[in-house]
Amino acid sequence: MKRLSLLTLFAATLCSPITAQVTHTFDIQTAKPGAVIQPTMYGIFFEDINFGADGGLYAEMVKNRSFEFENPWMGWNTTGNVEIRDDGPFDRNPHYARLNFSGHRVKHTAIENEGFFGISVKKGETYKFSVYARVPEEAGNKAYFEVQICDKALDLNQHKLASAKITVEGNEWEKYEVDLTPFATCEDGVLRIFLRNSKFRKPQNAVDGPSLDLEHVSLFPAKTWKDRPGGMRQDLAQALYDLHPGIFRFPGGCIVEGTDLADRYQWKHTVGPVENRPLNLNRWQYEFDYRFYPDYYQSYGLGFFEYFQLSEDFGAEPLPVLNCGMTCQYENPIEGEATYHVAVEDLDPYIQDAVDLVEFANGDVSTTWGKLRAEMGHPEPFNLKFLAIGNEQWDYKDNPAYTKRLARFIEVLRKKCPGIKIIGTTGPNSEGWDFDLLQPRMKQLGVDLYDEHFYRNEEWFLSHGLRYDSYDRKGPKVFAGEYACHGKGKYSDGKEKKCNHFETSLYEAAFLTGVERNADIVHMATYAPLFAHVKGWQWRPDLIWFDNFRSFRSISYYVQQLYSHYKGSHVLPLTMAGKPVAGQEGQDGLFASAVVDEVAGSVIVKVANVSDTPASIHLNLLNKKKAAQFTSAEVITLHSDDLDAENSLDNPEAVVPVKTDLDANSRDITIGPKTFQVYIFKR
Ligand code: AHR
């Protein structure tokens, strides 16, 4: 968090004493640490929504690289004599492109890929081009092509920024690779492939212009996260790493469910060689017709192996979510349920998928799935501990549609995978008849945790500071698996505004004090969604935004980061006049929680002031002897005078946390209006 110290001047003004009317005394039981804060407490939720995977974290630059989209030429422009064939080398992605002589020496045969919102390259950087190619038997045994990265807007006598000539030999499929280094930067370029003749010129006639077959056309930056070939975008993975997540939930979200069973997320389709991971539709392609992306598919280049690997990179526990035999319930009726969902008696393959996943993650290399993991480069187990069954599913008053299926999974998983903690769900709503139906059923079924979702407005976040204080301590633990404060402003067209403005982030910070205070019952919390491409989003707000070159972290990101970095090890009871500080009546818009880090010995107090006036607070650390031993202290402040302030690509640090030093003996503090602060007293 180096950046925190940069703006200390600004912080100093915020922390300078401002006279306020009343002093609020926070009694903090520093001598009586309470619940353990789980290492999994703050984490990340990943879903391929908003072009979060293909076109986002997964650094592949070629769209429809295997010609498997419903329209096999989507993403491609073609000229000359081209055809799509379907007897390719990868049985689960059988299509490929054949380039034939155009028929005239002056005319070209070429294909051109538009990338995800353009092929975007930087001057002097290396890009790894690869393709599977062969010469069709009837066309001899040599073929030639030229690959180019082009910028059509370039004001030069040519479009080419980088190019290479490749000779293809033989009638068997081989992988060809070459590095391309553009001499200029371009954001909206294309990747072109020209069929050439033996002298790398335009073909002269059908004899010296042989045909060429191309499959899995790929372009990656050489620089990826951890320099893994075919890996993840560095800046986006770094942003996740910088959150220090304790849990990593994947792959969704609604994409787990599918609109039809056929397009549900199947983890077995996402492992093994990338070339043979079958393409799937992405439901976020068509979910909102007012933001329709006909070119949104899932290549599964970011698949379950990569998710496990990233979890390991981040030091987070992996948390896969699997389909429970139900499609999206918003999209499919329950009447005639076996038509749209899987009948309970037919669930065995789905349950087997769950058992096999545990073997893939944890099994010995001599097992079928453990062997595949080893072949993919990770013989050591991934130590999977958690498994969620079903995303946003629910029961009906007269039909326990979800729980009757979940019960079958639990029965088998408890026997076959005894160490795995099972996570159920309370559906899409944080309250209401469906939540009330499911919450007790999760307890009856004996799930270890249940997943709650709440995308709610400002009032909800401010009025739910005590949400978890009354939860049944004997029931399952809580995974607040998807949440975000959705603001109520208006766009110019009058439509509801849901974006990452400062105000909503502040209210998320206020709400999270209640999550932290209840760490005995809440074991995981993940904001959602995670990523959004500025040119390809379907849902907002989101935690991290990006275009093809840049990214920025939303203000909500910094809230998550502050909680995660300063999560401590144990809750310290904190009250004002005997009550939890949760924006209750008479508490003047204050929310607060405290933790101790037993290893470092520091005491950390988080305070949100959502009111319009500054508040004077006395931190009554009730262990005076120990409290006297603090050697230093600091405060981190998140504030903007403008409630509508947002970070953006052009102004990524409009609102960021600001760190400033504090006297180790300070106990009387003043927090400005509409401000979130983290006080850290160190030993
Ligand atoms: O996060 C966006 C969507 O919200 C998720 O896919 C779904 O689980 C929820 O409805």
Side-chain angles (χ1 to χ4, degrees):
M1 291 201 104
K2 212 163 146 215
R3 70 173 67 229
L4 295 179
S5 56
L6 296 176
L7 298 164
T8 44
L9 244 176
F10 172 62
T13 31
L14 271 179
C15 296
S16 63
I18 305 168
T19 319
Q21 306 274 311
V22 190
T23 294
H24 305 81
T25 300
F26 290 177
D27 295 318
I28 304 172
Q29 304 289 345
T30 44
K32 294 183 190 157
V36 169
I37 296 176
Q38 297 299 315
T40 54
M41 185 66 159
Y42 304 105
I44 48 185
F45 157 81
F46 187 94
E47 176 168 26
D48 189 2
I49 182 173
N50 306 321
F51 286 84
D54 290 303
L57 180 60
Y58 183 51
E60 173 63 85
M61 298 165 74
V62 176
K63 183 164 69 189
N64 192 12
R65 64 186 175 187
S66 294
F67 309 97
E68 295 296 330
F69 283 19
E70 197 179 337
N71 166 3
W73 286 119
M74 186 175 270
W76 295 92
N77 276 322
T78 69
T79 188
N81 185 352
V82 296
E83 56 184 310
I84 291 289
R85 301 176 67 95
D86 65 2
D87 57 343
F90 308 113
D91 60 323
R92 300 203 288 187
N93 284 325
H95 296 93
Y96 62 95
R98 176 162 291 180
L99 278 59
N100 300 307
F101 175 47
S102 70
H104 190 286
R105 57 180 293 279
V106 176
K107 294 178 182 170
H108 296 291
T109 288
I111 59 176
E112 177 184 277
N113 192 271
E114 67 191 22
F116 296 93
F117 312 102
I119 295 276
S120 307
V121 292
K122 284 186 184 158
K123 176 183 173 178
E125 298 275 325
T126 302
Y127 295 86
K128 301 261 175 205
F129 171 81
S130 68
V131 65
Y132 287 81
R134 70 166 182 186
V135 185
E137 260 176 40
E138 58 276 27
N141 62 12
K142 273 198 181 176
Y144 309 87
F145 70 91
E146 182 170 335
V147 57
Q148 305 177 346
I149 294 174
C150 295
D151 179 357
K152 295 188 205 176
L154 202 64
D155 192 20
L156 286 179
N157 64 349
Q158 58 166 15
H159 290 159
K160 262 195 273 184
L161 299 180
S163 65
K165 293 169 177 173
I166 296 179
T167 304
V168 176
E169 288 188 70
N171 307 122
E172 299 301 324
W173 289 99
E174 298 288 344
K175 187 173 185 180
Y176 293 82
E177 296 172 271
V178 70
D179 287 356
L180 299 170
T181 306
F183 68 82
T185 294
C186 104
E187 189 149 6
D188 197 12
V190 291
L191 181 80
R192 277 186 187 152
I193 297 175
F194 283 101
L195 181 68
R196 296 297 197 209
N197 77 351
S198 57
K199 291 193 178 129
F200 283 106
R201 295 201 193 104
K202 284 179 284 187
Q204 301 288 316
N205 52 52
V207 177
D208 83 341
S211 299
L212 169 67
D213 289 337
L214 299 176
E215 162 66 314
H216 200 87
V217 185
S218 174
L219 185 71
F220 271 88
K223 280 191 197 152
T224 54
W225 170 250
K226 292 196 174 279
D227 294 325
R228 290 188 185 122
M232 305 301 140
R233 217 174 110 167
Q234 225 173 22
D235 59 332
L236 299 184
Q238 185 68 46
L240 300 184
Y241 178 84
D242 289 346
L243 279 169
H244 295 184
I247 191 87
F248 183 11
R249 171 187 169 193
F250 56 86
C254 290
I255 62 164
V256 171
E257 300 156 7
T259 295
D260 304 317
L261 284 170
D263 53 43
R264 73 188 190 279
Y265 196 100
Q266 299 185 57
W267 76 266
K268 287 176 180 168
H269 289 181
T270 76
V271 292
V274 286
E275 297 84 353
N276 209 17
R277 299 183 190 174
L279 188 89
N280 198 7
L281 201 62
N282 190 315
R283 64 168 278 149
W284 298 108
Q285 178 195 101
Y286 49 78
E287 184 69 20
F288 304 123
D289 61 2
Y290 50 89
R291 292 194 73 83
F292 177 50
Y293 292 91
D295 56 349
Y296 201 180
Y297 288 82
Q298 301 175 80
S299 72
Y300 291 143
L302 168 52
F304 263 45
F305 179 86
E306 290 77 19
Y307 284 125
F308 280 119
Q309 197 176 39
L310 284 172
S311 307
E312 193 171 79
D313 295 345
F314 302 154
E317 296 294 345
L319 166 47
V321 186
L322 294 185
N323 185 292
C324 67
M326 299 188 81
T327 53
C328 174
Q329 286 170 259
Y330 285 115
E331 294 175 346
N332 296 291
I334 199 66
E335 293 78 32
E337 70 180 278
T339 316
Y340 303 99
H341 310 286
V342 181
V344 173
E345 54 279 15
D346 295 333
L347 276 174
D348 286 353
Y350 290 72
I351 299 172
Q352 191 57 45
D353 274 358
V355 173
D356 290 344
L357 177 63
V358 177
E359 184 177 292
F360 178 72
N362 296 351
D364 187 83
V365 295
S366 61
T367 62
T368 309
W369 293 101
K371 181 164 173 280
L372 177 60
R373 184 192 70 240
E375 284 165 4
M376 291 184 75
H378 203 287
E380 310 77 26
F382 281 119
N383 292 317
L384 176 67
K385 301 187 181 80
F386 302 97
L387 191 55
I389 306 297
N391 174 45
E392 269 181 359
Q393 319 298 158
W394 62 88
D395 281 357
Y396 303 89
K397 285 189 178 124
D398 53 355
N399 179 357
Y402 169 55
T403 52
K404 69 187 178 192
R405 290 175 172 85
L406 178 61
R408 288 284 320 280
F409 278 83
I410 293 177
E411 195 188 321
V412 177
L413 285 169
R414 292 288 186 223
K415 276 189 210 132
K416 297 198 173 168
C417 312
I420 296 293
K421 291 201 164 146
I422 300 173
I423 302 179
T425 173
T426 46
N429 292 306
S430 45
E431 53 271 307
W433 68 268
D434 43 357
F435 180 87
D436 293 343
L437 213 53
L438 278 175
Q439 201 194 33
R441 287 183 186 171
M442 289 302 109
K443 187 175 174 185
Q444 281 157 19
L445 284 176
V447 298
D448 298 289
L449 295 102
Y450 55 72
D451 177 12
E452 293 187 350
H453 294 182
F454 40 96
Y455 298 103
R456 294 287 185 262
N457 64 22
E458 293 98 328
E459 284 77 31
W460 189 96
F461 271 81
L462 292 182
S463 60
H464 279 70
L466 292 171
R467 177 176 179 86
Y468 295 114
D469 292 64
S470 56
Y471 267 47
D472 176 5
R473 265 44 199 176
K474 296 197 190 88
K477 306 302 179 201
V478 175
F479 168 32
E482 288 184 37
Y483 69 89
C485 180
H486 283 198
K488 273 193 318 193
K490 298 269 185 227
Y491 290 121
S492 49
D493 63 1
K495 292 263 164 57
E496 197 183 353
K497 182 182 179 187
K498 298 179 175 178
C499 44
N500 294 101
H501 51 290
F502 169 69
E503 187 176 14
T504 51
S505 308
L506 174 67
Y507 299 164
E508 286 156 5
F511 175 80
L512 283 172
T513 57
V515 167
E516 187 166 271
R517 185 174 57 253
N518 288 285
D520 62 320
I521 185 87
V522 187
H523 282 193
M524 302 172 182
T526 56
Y527 180 102
L530 184 63
F531 282 125
H533 195 297
V534 292
K535 294 183 182 167
W537 62 271
Q538 298 83 46
W539 180 298
R540 66 186 200 174
D542 305 287
L543 210 60
I544 300 161
W545 288 81
F546 58 92
D547 66 8
N548 286 1
F549 284 146
R550 301 170 296 170
S551 56
F552 73 88
R553 302 163 183 201
S554 67
I555 307 171
S556 294
Y557 174 97
Y558 290 108
V559 169
Q560 298 292 320
Q561 193 183 47
L562 287 171
Y563 271 92
S564 178
H565 284 206
Y566 298 99
K567 68 172 171 283
S569 60
H570 295 77
V571 179
L572 292 178
L574 181 157
T575 51
M576 180 161 67
K579 290 181 183 168
V581 184
Q584 301 194 64
E585 215 182 318
Q587 296 191 328
D588 296 337
L590 292 172
F591 293 75
S593 57
V595 296
V596 61
D597 182 330
E598 291 276 13
V599 179
S602 42
V603 166
I604 301 159
V605 184
K606 303 189 181 80
V607 190
N609 178 8
V610 303
S611 80
D612 293 327
T613 47
S616 295
I617 297 167
H618 176 67
L619 299 176
N620 187 20
L621 304 186
L622 291 163
N623 187 357
K624 298 225 164 51
K625 224 166 105 198
K626 268 196 138 182
Q629 295 164 6
F630 293 124
T631 55
S632 64
E634 55 198 22
V635 56
I636 301 171
T637 301
L638 191 63
H639 170 80
S640 170
D641 288 338
D642 176 8
L643 291 179
D644 285 341
E646 288 182 273
N647 293 342
S648 65
L649 285 175
D650 293 331
N651 192 3
E653 300 196 343
V655 184
V656 294
V658 175
K659 188 188 274 189
T660 190
D661 287 341
L662 201 68
D663 183 338
N665 296 314
S666 304
R667 297 294 177 268
D668 294 300
I669 59 170
T670 301
I671 179 167
K674 302 281 194 233
T675 300
F676 175 53
Q677 285 187 319
V678 182
Y679 290 85
I680 306 136
F681 296 92
K682 299 178 185 175
R683 295 200 197 281

